[in-house]
Amino acid sequence: MTVYDRFVPASRLAWPAAAWLLASALGSAGLAVIAPNDLVRAGLSATAAAFGLACLVLVVHQKIRMWSTAKSLKHMALLVEHDITPCLVTDLQGTILQANRVASRTFKIAPERMLRDIVGEHVVDPSGLIHRVQSAALVEGIGSEKIVLKDRHLRLVAHQLGPTALMWRLELVLARDDPMTATKITYPSMTVGRGGTVLWMNAAARDLAGGRVRVVEDLITDPPLRPGQTHRVRSQGEAQEFTINVHPAGMGREEVVFVPNIQPSDTAPDDMGFEALPVPLLKVTPRGEISKANRCARDLLHADDGSTHSLADLMEGLGRAIPDWLTDAASGKGLGRSEFLRLTRPDKEVFVQVTLARVVEDGEVLLVAVLNDATELKSLEAQFVQSQKMQAIGQLAGGVAHDFNNLLTAISGHCDLFLLRHDQGDPDYGDLVQIHQNANRAAALVGQLLAFSRKQTLRPERLELRDILSDLTHLLNRLVGEKTALDLRQASGLPPIRADKRQLEQVILNLVVNARDAMTKGGTIRIETSERVLHKPMQHGRARVPEGAYVVVQVKDDGVGIAPDKLEKVFEPFYTTKRTGEGTGLGLSTVYGIVKQTGGFIFVDSTLGKGSVFTVMFPVCDDPVIEEPVLPDPPRAAPARFGEGVVLLVEDEAPVRAFASRALAHRGFRVIEASTAEDALDLLKDADLKVDVFVTDVVMPGLDGPSWVRKARKMRPDVPVVFMSGYAEDVFKSQGARIEASAFLAKPFSLTELTSIVNQQLATLPTPTPSADTHP
């Protein structure tokens, strides 16, 4: 038997009637056994069968009724399971049968605990209070009473759940937080000891009594004192009605509070309960017209009390149309599924989660909408989606950059080979130079993609931002042109930051150029620096900046501004509001990648027609300054002469391998090619094969560059290596521990860069030591 089965209403005559029918059936069956003839026996048997069948039908009907009612009560209890107010379900004797999460956590609900035990923790006469509220609930459907304690209010509300069950809400709030009180009210109160002696009175009680009194009975006209009851109080010659609330104060003392009686309003009890519930609730017709909204809902919707609205006027769906949703709910479909909607409030953006329940009032189908403010949830969701989108774009940009670098290596490399066979007087020389220059421009664009995806190589160092901006001033003045002025305002005593100097300059240049382009009619670009210390995390839009010290750079313009719906897209690659040919859409995405890779933060605030402000925050560098001793340059080994080295070239891209092989062979190296790492390891199994240097790609199918080199080093530990990659050096380093005697060459590279780094690695080989029997 579940807890609900214990208070399911049953007919008072059902079980006695079933027992009578069963006894009649058994009696008829017994008489049939001793009947004198077959006719009488048959009649009694038929009577016994009829009584038995009637008993069975009655029992089955009662069980179905109990099961249906219990199921309804379970659903009612589930409505308040996540309510922020403690809610309890009891029988008429006050035994707690069900408690929601808040009540279980607050009151430590134990089996068979009584409601009076919980209420008795706050008031002296819990049974009388419970009886009054319960009696009102059984008559009117809802009962409510507020008890004023010394520092807070206790509101006890009971809802009838059938003839033998009640749902209780215990609202315990501080007096200043009481939603029913517009201003803080100080009620007359006093501390009473044993025997009714008044030990202390507050100022309101002294004003009420016209001075101090010895015992409580001296103040009331109808003693003795009855907690929870109405008494007439002598107040400076006049008699006023007060409700007396009493609650324990410890050590045999009691706190007595005088609450003035308020004339009841015309509001029906159920309307008061609906209005006072601390959950935003709406009553909506299937057509979407709001017939009633409680106080919490009006505050959330920013709607007036007397105004009539439809649901579509106050909120808009994020996907499904509101009329279709309401129509399905009115027919009983999809009631257990919540919908997220955006309110059409003019002051701010608010999202709500709405759950509908279907009710019937006076024969009319209505929908009760329970609203929950989901603004923070949707903000976190949007933050996560934006983060995932930027990460996906970054991965795509990095992959595209890697593939483009392979293509550009082959294009510019073969162009270098052509240039070796043509001099400046050749008719094709100019065309080859144009190809080479455009390949370099394409390589610069790819570098910006790598910057956004945070896969470029950074050389961070301790920098003074004031010095960087001062050195850039001349170049920035030339960039902004004659119509635009540059105003540099630097704070004194800025702490150092840790960043790549070249990339930091790129950030400033791109932001200034972006500001210049936004001011088509000219104006002033202001660059301001400052130091900011956050003692707690800062929330800016959807970004969260941890606490700490930061150096802040702001670039402000008076340009056209950015529309609110485009602010979130300005840092995405290839997104631009400029006309074709005026920009690639990679400037701000490059800035974003550099700042993020440096560990900083960047924000944009903009107003249409008034301009934009880009704010960059770099963490302060707290690393101690280490004075490195000046050491003399070590003696450098003489480089190996061209033509004396054997290079094992491992590259899966055939065009890149073809160019690298021809470039090295042109400089006199002997080149052994392999398209995969596995082929290279097979070649090295030949002990007679001499190899002086490995030149390998990093990312390849199967074994990658670092993995196969580690295996090869077990057979040939002294062979130096050159790693090539379309990604940055940091990505190469993150793939494993650093490999000794290695160098890194970023794609795209030129013929000279390739042969120079190979020659450099050959120079690191140890000079052969002469044998003992060798004479000079």
Side-chain angles (χ1 to χ4, degrees):
M1 178 181 292
T2 66
V3 295
Y4 296 99
D5 295 330
R6 296 165 53 186
F7 62 90
V8 170
S11 172
R12 295 180 179 179
L13 300 178
W15 297 122
W20 182 84
L21 290 172
L22 180 60
S24 299
L26 294 175
S28 299
L31 291 174
V33 174
I34 61 174
N37 56 61
D38 294 341
L39 182 60
V40 175
R41 187 179 302 110
L44 290 173
S45 298
T47 302
F51 280 128
L53 181 61
C55 176
L56 178 63
V57 170
L58 182 60
V59 170
V60 171
H61 175 267
Q62 190 61 25
K63 285 291 184 181
I64 292 175
R65 186 167 177 265
M66 291 174 63
W67 174 83
S68 176
T69 307
K71 185 176 180 181
S72 299
L73 292 174
K74 288 180 182 179
H75 290 165
M76 293 179 187
L78 286 175
L79 285 175
V80 295
E81 177 64 20
H82 300 283
D83 201 328
I84 61 174
T85 302
C87 298
L88 305 168
V89 176
T90 71
D91 57 17
L92 296 186
Q93 287 70 43
T95 304
I96 298 174
L97 303 167
Q98 184 74 9
N100 69 352
R101 292 185 178 182
V102 175
S104 300
R105 185 169 59 249
T106 304
F107 303 123
K108 306 294 189 296
I109 304 299
E112 306 299 329
R113 193 173 186 190
M114 304 297 290
L115 178 63
R116 64 174 176 270
D117 298 335
I118 295 175
V119 179
E121 295 176 1
H122 304 284
V123 299
V124 172
D125 184 23
S127 298
L129 173 62
I130 293 172
H131 175 73
R132 294 192 300 274
V133 177
Q134 180 171 314
S135 299
L138 293 178
V139 174
E140 304 290 346
I142 184 173
S144 175
E145 188 166 327
K146 182 172 72 173
I147 306 300
V148 180
L149 307 178
K150 183 177 182 180
D151 59 344
R152 61 192 63 203
H153 296 168
L154 171 65
R155 181 177 296 277
L156 189 64
V157 183
H159 300 265
Q160 186 179 17
L161 301 180
T164 58
L166 294 165
M167 179 177 291
W168 300 83
R169 296 175 63 87
L170 286 79
E171 305 171 12
L172 192 64
V173 296
L174 296 176
R176 64 177 179 272
D177 297 330
D178 189 351
M180 305 301 294
T181 306
T183 59
K184 184 175 180 179
I185 299 175
T186 302
Y187 294 102
S189 61
M190 57 183 65
T191 302
V192 179
R194 293 182 176 89
T197 303
V198 176
L199 304 176
W200 171 86
M201 300 173 65
N202 69 353
R206 292 194 299 271
D207 292 340
L208 177 66
R212 292 186 177 273
V213 295
R214 186 176 61 84
V215 292
V216 179
E217 283 74 8
D218 292 343
L219 187 58
I220 61 178
T221 63
D222 48 352
L225 183 67
R226 299 180 299 278
Q229 299 297 317
T230 299
H231 287 271
R232 294 182 67 82
V233 177
R234 301 184 186 95
S235 175
Q236 300 179 3
E238 297 181 1
Q240 301 181 20
E241 289 190 350
F242 286 83
T243 299
I244 309 298
N245 292 329
V246 181
H247 59 92
M251 300 178 65
R253 301 178 180 182
E254 295 177 340
E255 297 289 343
V256 180
V257 183
F258 296 81
V259 183
N261 286 354
I262 302 174
Q263 295 298 322
S265 64
D266 297 331
T267 306
D270 60 335
D271 288 340
M272 287 194 301
F274 183 84
E275 176 69 18
L277 281 174
V279 179
L281 295 174
L282 301 173
K283 285 187 179 180
V284 186
T285 68
R287 297 179 299 278
E289 299 166 350
I290 299 176
S291 61
K292 190 177 295 184
N294 69 352
R295 175 182 48 79
C296 286
R298 293 194 299 272
D299 293 342
L300 179 62
L301 298 174
H302 204 64
D304 297 332
D305 189 7
S307 303
T308 57
H309 298 279
S310 69
L311 206 63
D313 294 336
L314 299 175
M315 56 189 74
E316 56 186 16
L318 300 181
R320 191 179 184 192
I322 291 180
D324 296 342
W325 173 47
L326 296 178
T327 301
D328 287 349
S331 62
K333 300 177 183 177
L335 293 176
R337 186 175 64 251
S338 300
E339 291 285 343
F340 287 92
L341 300 99
R342 181 192 294 109
L343 299 185
T344 56
R345 288 182 56 164
D347 54 338
K348 60 181 179 178
E349 185 177 55
V350 178
F351 293 90
V352 291
Q353 182 181 11
V354 184
T355 306
L356 296 179
R358 183 178 181 272
V359 297
V360 178
E361 290 187 358
D362 299 328
E364 181 184 2
V365 175
L366 291 177
L367 297 171
V368 177
V370 182
L371 279 61
N372 182 35
D373 191 342
T375 305
E376 184 176 357
L377 176 64
K378 295 301 289 184
S379 176
L380 290 174
E381 179 186 355
Q383 212 171 349
F384 176 74
V385 170
Q386 179 70 7
S387 173
Q388 291 291 94
K389 181 175 71 172
M390 296 297 274
Q391 182 180 0
I393 294 175
Q395 290 177 345
L396 175 63
V400 169
H402 173 266
D403 292 340
F404 263 89
N405 277 336
N406 278 326
L407 295 173
L408 292 173
T409 301
I411 294 172
S412 60
H414 284 91
C415 187
D416 285 343
L417 292 174
F418 268 114
L419 287 172
L420 291 175
R421 300 197 300 269
H422 295 76
D423 55 25
Q424 295 187 6
D426 195 293
D428 297 331
Y429 186 83
D431 295 336
L432 294 173
V433 170
Q434 283 293 325
I435 294 173
H436 197 275
Q437 290 177 348
N438 283 282
N440 289 337
R441 289 183 58 192
L445 291 177
V446 172
Q448 290 180 299
L449 283 177
L450 285 174
F452 172 78
S453 60
R454 306 178 216 175
K455 293 180 179 178
Q456 62 176 340
T457 302
L458 294 183
R459 308 292 182 191
E461 57 182 311
R462 188 185 182 96
L463 297 175
E464 297 290 342
L465 186 61
R466 286 178 57 89
D467 298 339
I468 300 295
L469 291 176
S470 298
D471 295 341
L472 278 176
T473 302
H474 180 67
L475 177 60
L476 293 176
N477 281 317
R478 291 177 55 190
L479 279 175
V480 298
E482 297 179 355
K483 294 191 300 181
T484 305
L486 187 67
D487 183 10
L488 178 60
R489 302 177 183 179
Q490 297 215 63
S492 59
L494 286 178
I497 62 174
R498 183 172 175 80
D500 185 308
K501 180 180 179 181
R502 181 174 58 86
Q503 298 296 341
L504 178 59
E505 293 173 345
Q506 185 72 24
V507 168
I508 304 299
L509 289 172
N510 281 357
L511 290 178
V512 170
V513 169
N514 188 74
R516 178 202 65 188
D517 294 342
M519 298 188 298
T520 55
K521 298 181 180 179
T524 301
I525 301 174
R526 292 171 297 282
I527 304 176
E528 300 177 1
T529 62
S530 61
E531 180 184 4
R532 185 170 185 182
V533 178
L534 300 179
H535 298 289
K536 60 180 181 179
M538 181 188 75
Q539 195 76 26
H540 189 287
R542 293 170 179 166
R544 185 175 184 271
V545 183
E547 59 186 25
Y550 296 88
V551 173
V552 182
V553 184
Q554 288 189 314
V555 179
K556 305 178 180 180
D557 65 68
D558 304 320
V560 295
I562 306 171
D565 59 330
K566 297 178 181 178
L567 275 177
E568 298 178 1
K569 301 179 181 180
V570 295
F571 295 119
E572 296 178 8
F574 303 114
Y575 179 82
T576 180
T577 57
K578 300 176 182 178
R579 293 189 295 268
T580 304
E582 292 184 353
T584 60
L586 287 173
L588 290 179
S589 64
T590 303
V591 170
Y592 176 88
I594 294 173
V595 171
K596 288 296 183 181
Q597 194 173 359
T598 306
F601 300 87
I602 182 168
F603 313 110
V604 56
D605 299 284
S606 185
T607 304
L608 278 177
K610 295 185 178 180
S612 305
V613 179
F614 284 85
T615 302
V616 184
M617 300 177 66
F618 294 106
V620 170
C621 179
D622 296 327
D623 299 338
V625 179
I626 301 176
E627 296 291 340
E628 297 183 359
V630 180
L631 300 177
D633 294 334
R636 300 183 61 182
R641 291 176 298 173
F642 290 138
E644 294 184 356
V646 179
V647 178
L648 176 57
L649 175 63
V650 186
E651 169 63 63
D652 61 307
E653 290 285 342
V656 177
R657 188 172 67 249
F659 154 65
S661 177
R662 288 183 58 188
L664 292 170
H666 184 272
R667 292 298 174 93
F669 294 103
R670 180 190 169 199
V671 182
I672 302 173
E673 298 182 26
S675 59
T676 64
E678 291 77 8
D679 292 345
L681 291 174
D682 289 339
L683 290 172
L684 292 176
K685 291 178 181 178
D686 184 1
D688 296 331
L689 178 65
K690 177 181 180 295
V691 176
D692 295 308
V693 64
F694 299 146
V695 177
T696 177
D697 192 13
V698 174
V699 180
M700 294 184 295
L703 285 177
D704 58 22
S707 298
W708 85 261
V709 168
R710 291 190 189 95
K711 291 179 177 290
R713 283 282 178 85
K714 295 178 181 178
M715 298 179 284
R716 301 170 188 255
D718 298 328
V719 178
V721 59
V722 175
F723 287 104
M724 308 178 296
S725 179
Y727 290 122
E729 184 177 0
D730 292 342
V731 179
F732 153 64
K733 290 179 180 178
S734 66
Q735 295 186 0
R738 179 172 175 81
I739 296 178
E740 298 297 330
S742 65
F744 181 80
L745 182 61
K747 296 178 181 178
F749 49 79
S750 65
L751 182 150
T752 302
E753 290 172 336
L754 173 62
T755 54
S756 296
I757 198 168
V758 170
N759 198 48
Q760 175 186 324
Q761 288 300 93
L762 284 173
T764 62
L765 290 173
T767 304
T769 303
S771 59
D773 58 349
T774 302
H775 299 281

